[in-house]
């Protein structure tokens, strides 16, 4: 069995209750909102972010009834960001299905993203916990910063490793960090626990995006659930390419930049560059880097006493580094 399915099986009650709450919160008097929401959210997705939140609440022994409703905050933000991201990327496939923008067009997809994002903030506001509300809203602002930085670096073949790390930390890792930290914030567990969970989620989130960008060079559409090789086609300069370029002669780097930047590359050239990235050892370097962030995530939790939820969080950390889709 796939390792994530195994984790989900062990956490089936969490998974089912998160899905129940997602379905409930999606209801709207406007049928198109429900249709796009059901398509984008229900029956697909790993529910990683809400699961991180629920496990963090359990770790902090939070006793509130509303854990699962609050967990939807993180899936709604995530799905809203994907709806917008697919419009920005002009993507046709998401979560192994046609993307919402592909079916309903950009306008409807952006508005659905707005609806889901506002749904998440209204659920967060319902807690009357201002620290939680602030964490949720500042996180989304930072995700937008990450996305804008990515936009600014599109087709920038001089993008540095530091710039890339800043982008992925902002666009991806901060949401996982917030999902973990909010368990501590809600429970009032204090700054040490909050920092431990926050650091765990941040480092795990960095691993997630490092592997996501690596799989874009190595996976297949059937496994990955979205087309591969698309970062390069979208002009996104991710770490596999940054590492590979660093190992090339200046003249070769310049030749490739001109070829790909001006849109003169054909399918064969794309294939050749992907093979080059695979041959030059960049992928091994990235797995190594991801491993060091996964270790950092695990070390962040080390200050907290052992418990079942902590064990599951560490299992998730292990899954993320080994995942193949
Ligand atoms: C997917 O990354 C996109 C993100 C991780 C973040 C997108 C963030 C925003 C659009 C800003 C926040 C907006 C809202 C409404 C909360 P990717 O393009 O690397 O992954 P992909 O290959 O799956 O598309
Ligand atoms: Mg994208």
């Amino acid at each position: 069995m796939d390792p994530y399915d195994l984790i989900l099986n062990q956490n089936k009650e969490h998974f089912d209750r998160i899905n129940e709450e997602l379905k409930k919160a999606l209801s709207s008097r406007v049928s198109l909102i429900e249709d796009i929401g059901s398509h984008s959210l229900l029956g697909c997705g790993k529910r990683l972010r809400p699961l991180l939140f629920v496990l963090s609440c359990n770790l902090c022994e939070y006793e509130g009834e509303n854990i699962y409703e609050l967990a939807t905050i993180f899936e709604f933000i995530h799905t809203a960001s994907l709806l917008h991201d697919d419009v920005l990327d002009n993507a046709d496939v998401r979560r192994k299905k046609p993307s919402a923008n592909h079916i309903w067009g950009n306008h409807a997809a952006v508005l659905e993203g707005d609806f889901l994002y506002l749904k998440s903030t209204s659920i967060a506001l319902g807690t009357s916990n201002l620290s939680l509300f602030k964490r949720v809203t500042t996180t989304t602002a930072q995700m937008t910063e990450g996305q804008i930085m990515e936009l600014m670096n599109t087709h920038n073949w001089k993008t540095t490793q530091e710039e890339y790390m800043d982008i992925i930390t902002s666009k991806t890792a901060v949401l996982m960090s917030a999902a973990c930290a909010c368990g501590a914030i809600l429970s009032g567990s204090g700054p040490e626990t909050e920092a431990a969970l926050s650091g765990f989620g941040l480092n795990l989130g960095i691993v997630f995006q490092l592997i996501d960008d690596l799989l874009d060079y190595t996976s297949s559409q059937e496994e990955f659930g979205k087309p591969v090789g698309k970062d390069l086609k979208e002009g996104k300069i991710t770490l596999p390419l940054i590492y590979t370029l660093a190992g090339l002669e200046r003249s070769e780097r310049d030749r490739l930049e001109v070829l790909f930047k001006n849109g003169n590359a054909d399918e064969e050239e794309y294939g050749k560059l992907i093979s080059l990235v695979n041959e030059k050892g960049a992928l091994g370097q990235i797995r190594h880097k991801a491993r060091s962030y996964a270790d950092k995530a695990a070390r962040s939790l080390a200050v907290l006493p052992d418990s079942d939820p902590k064990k599951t969080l560490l299992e998730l950390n292990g899954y993320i580094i080994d995942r193949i889709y």
Side-chain angles (χ1 to χ4, degrees):
M1 191 191 277
D2 173 82
Y4 195 71
D5 289 342
L6 207 68
I7 296 177
L8 284 185
N9 264 356
Q10 286 159 0
N11 291 279
K12 194 167 169 355
E13 197 200 332
H14 293 327
F15 190 68
D16 290 347
R17 294 197 60 188
I18 290 165
N19 282 334
E20 239 171 69
E21 289 297 330
L22 284 170
K23 205 168 170 182
K24 250 197 257 169
L26 259 187
S27 93
S28 162
R29 66 193 175 85
V30 179
S31 62
L32 186 57
I33 289 198
E34 292 194 336
D35 292 346
I36 306 179
S38 305
H39 174 87
S40 310
L41 258 165
L42 305 181
C44 55
K46 296 188 270 292
R47 309 291 185 244
L48 179 58
R49 294 147 190 87
L51 192 55
L52 288 172
F53 171 77
V54 168
L55 291 168
S56 299
C57 285
N58 290 346
L59 185 149
C60 297
E61 297 176 344
Y62 176 71
E63 302 284 351
E65 292 275 292
N66 53 350
I67 289 188
Y68 296 101
E69 186 200 5
L70 298 182
T72 64
I73 292 172
F74 303 97
E75 192 66 19
F76 280 136
I77 295 177
H78 174 53
T79 306
S81 79
L82 294 182
L83 282 161
H84 286 186
D85 182 64
D86 284 343
V87 170
L88 295 170
D89 292 348
N90 209 8
D92 292 335
V93 179
R94 170 66 67 188
R95 291 173 162 172
K96 303 193 178 185
K97 297 197 288 199
S99 60
N101 49 305
H102 184 73
I103 302 178
W104 289 281
N106 285 347
H107 295 182
V110 167
L111 292 168
E112 182 76 23
D114 294 345
F115 178 83
L116 296 183
Y117 176 55
L118 268 304
K119 196 85 200 171
S120 77
T121 48
S122 117
I123 295 170
L125 199 52
T127 63
S128 302
N129 184 325
L130 268 190
S131 303
L132 182 137
F133 188 67
K134 193 166 174 209
R135 181 72 187 235
V136 166
T137 49
T138 52
T139 294
T140 337
Q142 199 178 340
M143 288 169 71
T144 310
E145 283 175 350
Q147 196 71 359
I148 296 255
M149 286 192 286
E150 181 176 272
L151 196 65
M152 289 161 67
N153 276 285
T154 304
H155 294 295
N156 174 13
W157 282 54
K158 308 270 181 301
T159 302
T160 62
Q161 186 181 162
E162 289 68 36
E163 286 163 338
Y164 166 81
M165 293 304 294
D166 193 5
I167 291 169
I168 67 165
T169 301
S170 302
K171 76 171 186 176
T172 304
V174 294
L175 183 58
M176 299 197 194
S177 179
C180 293
C182 283
I185 293 172
L186 199 62
S187 329
S189 311
E192 198 191 340
T193 306
E194 184 185 332
L197 282 166
S198 184
F200 171 77
L202 192 79
N203 288 296
L204 171 136
I206 291 173
V207 177
F208 185 92
Q209 193 63 45
L210 284 172
I211 300 293
D212 205 67
D213 291 345
L214 177 140
L215 289 173
D216 189 69
Y217 277 85
T218 59
S219 189
S220 63
Q221 176 156 349
E222 302 80 70
E223 273 183 340
F224 204 21
K226 52 191 181 185
V228 292
K230 92 182 164 58
D231 286 342
L232 192 56
K233 290 202 169 139
E234 289 167 3
K236 282 188 198 151
I237 314 300
T238 58
L239 203 54
L241 185 60
I242 294 172
Y243 276 165
T244 304
L245 291 175
L248 298 180
E249 294 286 330
R250 175 83 189 266
S251 57
E252 180 58 1
R253 269 204 317 261
D254 292 345
R255 185 189 75 79
L256 289 171
E257 180 173 350
V258 170
L259 182 67
F260 284 91
K261 245 186 172 169
N262 295 344
N264 292 331
D266 55 20
E267 278 305 313
E268 197 187 337
E269 295 288 354
Y270 275 104
K272 273 197 209 158
L273 186 50
I274 288 173
S275 304
L276 187 72
V277 169
N278 279 274
E279 284 156 19
K280 283 282 174 186
L283 306 174
Q285 269 176 281
I286 292 168
R287 284 218 173 268
H288 184 75
K289 190 179 178 79
R291 171 73 53 199
S292 79
Y293 279 98
D295 291 347
K296 218 168 153 187
R299 277 201 303 279
S300 196
L301 280 195
V303 296
L304 303 176
D306 287 342
S307 63
D308 285 343
K310 177 174 158 180
K311 188 167 159 264
T312 310
L313 285 172
L314 292 171
E315 280 167 9
L316 278 173
N317 191 33
Y319 151 75
I320 280 166
I321 180 123
D322 291 331
R323 80 192 174 108
I324 52 158
Y325 67 92

